[in-house]
Amino acid sequence: MWKTIVRRVLLMIPQLFVLSLFIFILAKQMPGDPFTGLITPETDPARLEELRIKAGFYDPWYVQYYHWITNAFQGDFGQSYTYKIAVSTLIGERGLNTFWLSLLSAIFVYLIAIPLGVLAGRYQESFLDKSITLYSFISYAIPTFVLSLIFVYIFGYKLMWFPTSGTVDVGLEPGTMAYYWNKIYHLILPAITYAILGTTAIIQYLRSEIIDAKTQDYVKTARSKGIPMRKIYTRHIFRNSLLPIAAFLGFTITGLLGGSIFIETIFGFPGMGQLFINSIMSRDYSVITALVMLYGFLTLLGSLLSDIIMSIVDPRIRID
């Protein structure tokens, strides 16, 4: 398995190279540049041209790409024209916020999806099963921004149970227990919104696996031996039905780390999703290319993690 993992990791290098070239060219095709937003009636056009020349915007694209990719291999993705700090520092700060939001969202996803999937599969065709299926269809069909706006309006403005923006209240001293609890408090509503929208696939897969497992020979044999159904579900059906869910774990983790553009924007949460939108609006090419590269890497990593997790939980599976 280790040889396969090393081979897959090495294969990521040309894939990321092609992605970087593709994204860099597309980013350069966007109209305007980071200095376009500086234009006012008092702006000196000569000064803008000087800034563009200094930034290398008039160099051939392959020269610009060479400078960018060589610096990127050294961990230098340039400087954000909007935030005036290093891109790696900016993504590190925003990425930490997204990481905590992703962690709490993943916990909520599995706390909601696994019990509902088990109940739907065990009590197939019952009113409970139909209700859970209806919930799955609604959560799958409703747009992300619609549910986010509904939750912000109800729980943020009407009931005032949760804050509607930021990561922590102003005035709290960093490092104190009140500070950390307040950060968790700010995470709860966007995390729950994220989780509700992410449970559909897990519920349906788990339901299908449990229904299929109930017809297997090992279940019939266990029932013929007089083993109580409760033990059959916990020791046999449930354990085997979790295998496909394990495959989702890698994609769930990396997908959440990529950030939700709509949720972070609507909740005013300063994560990577919100940063991505703001960078596009301000034509901050350095941030855009770095984020897309990060998203591409996370997608490839998620595929590898899913294969590794599957091979661990089921020794019969070998990744190729």
Side-chain angles (χ1 to χ4, degrees):
M1 183 176 74
W2 288 109
K3 292 182 179 180
T4 302
I5 293 175
V6 172
R7 186 170 65 249
R8 291 276 294 273
V9 171
L10 292 176
L11 186 61
M12 290 182 185
I13 297 176
Q15 292 175 324
L16 290 174
F17 173 76
V18 173
L19 176 64
S20 68
L21 182 61
F22 182 69
I23 293 303
F24 186 85
I25 294 175
L26 285 183
K28 291 301 179 182
Q29 300 305 312
M30 294 175 61
D33 56 51
F35 303 111
T36 302
L38 301 177
I39 297 177
T40 64
E42 295 80 18
T43 302
D44 183 5
R47 176 55 181 165
L48 289 180
E49 285 300 307
E50 181 183 343
L51 291 174
R52 291 187 176 106
I53 294 173
K54 184 178 180 180
F57 284 177
Y58 294 123
D59 293 339
W61 70 267
Y62 51 85
V63 174
Q64 297 183 50
Y65 175 76
Y66 172 77
H67 291 307
W68 177 77
I69 197 66
T70 51
N71 291 330
F73 274 117
Q74 302 174 29
D76 180 12
F77 290 93
Q79 186 177 24
S80 169
Y81 296 99
T82 304
Y83 298 93
K84 310 302 180 184
I85 61 175
V87 173
S88 55
T89 302
L90 179 61
I91 293 179
E93 295 173 352
R94 297 299 186 93
L96 187 61
N97 291 335
T98 297
F99 170 78
W100 292 116
L101 176 60
S102 302
L103 179 61
L104 189 59
S105 299
I107 293 173
F108 284 152
V109 165
Y110 285 97
L111 285 178
I112 296 173
I114 291 180
L116 292 183
V118 171
L119 291 173
R122 182 168 184 175
Y123 302 103
Q124 180 186 4
E125 301 300 332
S126 66
F127 176 77
L128 179 61
D129 176 32
K130 294 178 180 179
S131 300
I132 294 173
T133 302
L134 178 62
Y135 156 79
S136 298
F137 288 153
I138 293 175
S139 64
Y140 181 77
I142 189 169
T144 304
F145 68 91
V146 172
L147 184 64
S148 300
L149 289 172
I150 291 174
F151 277 20
V152 166
Y153 177 74
I154 295 177
F155 298 107
Y157 291 105
K158 278 295 187 180
L159 300 177
M160 301 181 68
W161 287 356
F162 298 100
T164 57
S165 64
T167 59
V168 68
D169 290 340
V170 178
L172 292 176
E173 182 180 353
T176 62
M177 187 60 68
Y179 177 85
Y180 291 118
W181 277 116
N182 192 257
K183 287 185 73 71
I184 296 174
Y185 183 53
H186 278 74
L187 289 172
I188 292 176
L189 189 58
I192 290 176
T193 308
Y194 215 154
I196 290 176
L197 297 169
T199 56
T200 303
I202 297 177
I203 290 175
Q204 293 303 315
Y205 269 93
L206 187 55
R207 176 184 181 273
S208 300
E209 288 296 319
I210 289 178
I211 292 174
D212 181 66
K214 289 191 297 186
T215 63
Q216 299 299 314
D217 292 337
Y218 66 87
V219 175
K220 296 178 181 178
T221 302
R223 295 183 64 179
S224 65
K225 291 181 179 180
I227 299 177
M229 284 301 299
R230 179 178 59 83
K231 291 186 177 181
I232 293 176
Y233 270 99
T234 55
R235 295 183 180 180
H236 302 286
I237 296 178
F238 180 65
R239 182 181 301 176
N240 292 325
S241 299
L242 283 179
L243 294 179
I245 307 304
F248 276 102
L249 183 59
F251 289 109
T252 300
I253 294 173
T254 55
L256 289 171
L257 286 175
S260 172
I261 294 175
F262 291 113
I263 288 180
E264 290 185 359
T265 301
I266 292 173
F267 282 95
F269 189 83
M272 291 196 296
Q274 186 193 62
L275 176 63
F276 187 60
I277 285 293
N278 293 339
S279 300
I280 293 176
M281 298 295 293
S282 60
R283 300 177 179 86
D284 202 339
Y285 302 130
S286 300
V287 180
I288 294 172
T289 51
L291 282 175
V292 174
M293 283 295 295
L294 178 60
Y295 293 154
F297 173 74
L298 290 176
T299 301
L300 296 174
L301 182 63
S303 176
L304 179 59
L305 285 177
S306 295
D307 291 341
I308 293 173
I309 293 171
M310 281 292 292
S311 65
I312 292 174
V313 298
D314 189 352
R316 298 171 298 177
I317 298 175
R318 292 292 179 265
I319 61 175
D320 297 322

